[in-house]
Amino acid sequence: MKILAVYSMKGGVGKTASAVNLAYWAARSGRRTLLIDLDPQGASSFYFRIKPSRKSWGKRFFKAYEELLQHIKASDYEHLDVIPAHLSFRHFDVLLNSLEKRRSRLKKILRGMKGEYDLVILDCPPSIGKLSESVFNAADRLLVPVIPTTLSERTFHQLLDFFEAEDYSRKKLLPFFSMVQQQKSMHRNTQSNLTNGKVRFLETSIPFSADVENMGEHRAPLDQFARSKPANQAYRQLWQEVESRL
Ligand SMILES: Nc1ncnc2c1ncn2[C@@H]1O[C@H](COP(=O)(O)OP(=O)(O)OP(=O)(O)O)[C@@H](O)[C@H]1O
Ligand SMILES: [Mg+2]
């Protein structure tokens, strides 16, 4: 079983759009896939039309994997299940702070899923706190969407510095360009700066596209309503590239 986290401390960069479409393509490729929505905003749960549990269970999340099993919901797609987010997940950083072995806890709990799933995808909230550190530790790979703009470039370098300072392996990082608008010179220049940097970016990039925005209306992955569109094809290709790096 592999654990893939879609992470950036920056908000609104395409983490959820990526988590949803990649989970879809992973399941389509036959991998038994579990998407865990760690963000109390619950956007990926919404895209998959899955309601959160009524029970406020965030406090029990890190107790044991049996707790998680109770909250798994089937999606509309074969091989794809989801644990929807709950608003109580907003306390995860504080909760983890009070627990022993906090860095390794998430990893240990997720390992309990290895008989049931081939791939766990984590849709992460935009922050860099205790939960993020648990994610850095648990994930085999961290997929990092980067919009090719100055601030996103800066945030990406902050992440690299954090990894170096805290001794996390940079090899885990799989950055890719998200919401790309090739007609903008800033996008082209930032892409070229980052492509020549210390960490190699994935070759696939995701174009800026109204189809991705429309996922909210359709509440479905792109392939269900924009099959032949470039953004859908880009996500399909991104999955193939990520799969080869897992
Ligand atoms: N490739 C794209 N082209 C155009 N719009 C996009 C693209 N990817 C995402 N968006 C839109 O940008 C917004 C943010 O995307 P998304 O929710 O995936 O980002 P996020 O990083 O998960 O955000 P958050 O940090 O709030 O969790 C959404 O309105 C989404 O529809
Ligand atoms: Mg999100």
Side-chain angles (χ1 to χ4, degrees):
M1 186 191 83
K2 296 288 182 187
I3 300 171
L4 175 68
V6 188
Y7 172 82
S8 167
M9 72 170 115
K10 194 158 175 53
V13 295
K15 295 181 289 297
T16 297
S18 303
V20 166
N21 286 295
L22 292 175
Y24 172 86
W25 284 114
R28 276 284 299 264
S29 77
R31 286 194 190 231
R32 295 168 303 165
T33 303
L34 175 67
L35 172 70
I36 305 182
D37 188 353
L38 289 173
D39 187 342
Q41 294 180 84
S44 50
S45 320
F46 174 83
Y47 281 141
F48 279 120
R49 300 165 184 264
I50 293 174
K51 287 201 184 113
S53 306
R54 279 206 219 131
K55 220 163 86 183
S56 175
W57 67 287
K59 267 192 184 154
R60 307 192 63 78
F61 190 99
F62 296 99
K63 288 220 181 295
Y65 88 94
E66 288 86 351
E67 283 291 334
L68 298 193
L69 293 182
Q70 295 176 37
H71 297 277
I72 293 177
K73 309 265 169 88
S75 75
D76 294 338
Y77 311 101
E78 200 182 359
H79 303 308
L80 178 55
D81 292 340
V82 177
I83 296 183
H86 190 275
L87 197 59
S88 55
F89 290 8
R90 72 189 187 283
H91 301 304
F92 276 173
D93 278 337
V94 179
L95 182 66
L96 279 164
N97 214 14
S98 66
L99 297 175
E100 282 174 28
K101 298 187 181 166
R102 53 178 170 262
R103 264 200 187 186
S104 56
R105 229 161 228 269
L106 182 64
K107 184 172 191 163
K108 194 170 160 222
I109 285 167
L110 296 181
R111 287 279 155 224
M113 304 282 185
K114 67 177 188 284
E116 326 281 331
Y117 295 100
D118 304 311
L119 178 67
V120 173
I121 297 185
L122 306 173
D123 183 14
C124 299
S127 63
I128 183 151
K130 298 292 176 213
L131 174 65
S132 324
E133 290 192 56
S134 304
V135 167
F136 300 161
N137 196 46
D140 295 292
R141 291 280 184 266
L142 281 142
L143 195 58
V144 186
V146 179
I147 305 175
T149 58
T150 316
L151 277 185
S152 291
E153 180 179 15
R154 183 172 168 270
T155 311
F156 182 64
H157 283 126
Q158 286 173 323
L159 181 65
L160 293 185
D161 292 345
F162 186 83
F163 262 55
E164 192 157 305
E166 299 293 322
D167 227 9
Y168 291 108
S169 168
R170 274 190 187 174
K171 287 190 188 143
K172 285 190 177 189
L173 297 173
L174 297 180
F176 69 99
F177 295 111
S178 170
M179 299 193 202
V180 177
Q181 293 174 284
Q182 278 298 346
Q183 68 276 23
K184 291 188 175 170
S185 61
M186 176 192 269
H187 279 217
R188 290 195 304 274
N189 294 340
T190 314
Q191 272 184 289
S192 130
N193 288 347
L194 283 164
T195 308
N196 298 317
K198 288 179 195 162
V199 175
R200 224 172 93 197
F201 270 60
L202 293 177
E203 282 179 17
T204 312
S205 55
I206 306 297
F208 187 91
S209 154
D211 295 316
V212 181
E213 291 175 307
N214 289 340
M215 282 171 61
E217 233 172 84
H218 292 270
R219 296 185 69 184
L222 285 164
D223 196 47
Q224 295 295 304
F225 66 93
R227 184 153 293 169
S228 58
K229 297 295 191 64
N232 185 44
Q233 297 309 322
Y235 271 121
R236 185 180 194 173
Q237 199 181 318
L238 185 67
W239 162 246
Q240 285 164 356
E241 198 179 355
V242 169
E243 188 177 31
S244 73
R245 302 285 295 273
L246 278 175

